[in-house]
DNA sequence: CAGAATCCGAGACGATACTG
DNA sequence: CAGTATCGTCTCGGATTCTG
């Protein structure tokens, strides 16, 4: 995964478009990380995701479109009937695993 | 920093209150990570933060209150005149450095 | 100096209804 | 099956004004 030597602190000017913002923008939305988490277990169809996540169609479709646009998820139609669509993580999406682990790590400590 | 062996994938049920959500909730808001980034360089007064971040008073005050509530930032009045308030990261706040580095890492790769 | 109060607009969520 | 359309609600952000 390239070089890990660059630190968040080593950049001169904090702008709203810095890499940290890019990542948070990709993960934006209450259900986004849960969708990614599902797909880390392998490709899923739309209905499988809908069944696993108890989320409305609108929100699920919105988040999937967002993830596709960010290059995290790839969408593909499955031949045959009934029509199905499969969603899978791209290599870039797979790379989110480390990010989610870091978020999990910090959030699992007590706040007291 | 405790054990890093737990993975985001190893948990049974994804809930809106899982640790990942805790972290994203703490970092919620466009300016939050930039405030944390400033404080990673050491304690800052309110006006120092305001000068460095070109953000409105309302938003800055909102984000600081949020970070204090999450246990990330500690607020302390400075004696003397004019009245000043100093903000500094708690140990829990310092621990965000690794999280921000992970977010930076992922976001700095091209999407193409 | 360090904010609080108020008002407005944008975006995300949620439920419901409808369609290729 | 896999969405889109619509509507109401809520939170965040930005600007302005005011105060201990």
């Amino acid at each position: 995964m390239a070089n890990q030597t660059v630190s968040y602190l080593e950049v001169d000017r904090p702008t709203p478009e810095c890499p940290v913002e890019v990542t948070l923008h990709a993960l934006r939305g209450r259900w986004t990380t849960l969708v990614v988490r599902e797909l880390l277990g392998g490709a899923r169809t739309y209905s499988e995701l809908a069944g696993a996540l108890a989320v409305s169609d609108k929100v699920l479709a919105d988040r999937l479109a967002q993830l596709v646009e960010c290059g995290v998820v790839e969408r593909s139609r499955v031949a045959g009937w009934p029509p199905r669509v499969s969603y899978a993580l791209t290599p870039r999406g797979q790379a989110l695993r480390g990010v989610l682990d870091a978020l999990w790590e910090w959030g699992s400590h007590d706040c007291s």
Side-chain angles (χ1 to χ4, degrees), chain A residues 46-66:
Chain A
Y46 181 91
S47 58
E48 285 171 340
L49 290 172
L53 294 180
V55 60
S56 74
D57 283 335
K58 176 185 180 295
V59 173
L60 180 55
D62 284 354
R63 290 317 118 220
L64 286 170
Q66 163 189 321

Side-chain angles (χ1 to χ4, degrees), chain A residues 56-100:
Chain A
S56 74
D57 283 335
K58 176 185 180 295
V59 173
L60 180 55
D62 284 354
R63 290 317 118 220
L64 286 170
Q66 163 189 321
L67 290 170
V68 168
E69 191 188 337
C70 291
V72 169
V73 164
E74 193 177 28
R75 190 193 125 118
S76 59
R77 263 170 270 260
V78 178
W81 190 264
R84 285 176 187 274
V85 176
S86 178
Y87 292 92
L89 291 180
T90 62
R92 180 171 172 78
Q94 300 279 353
L96 276 174
R97 184 179 302 230
V99 175
L100 293 176

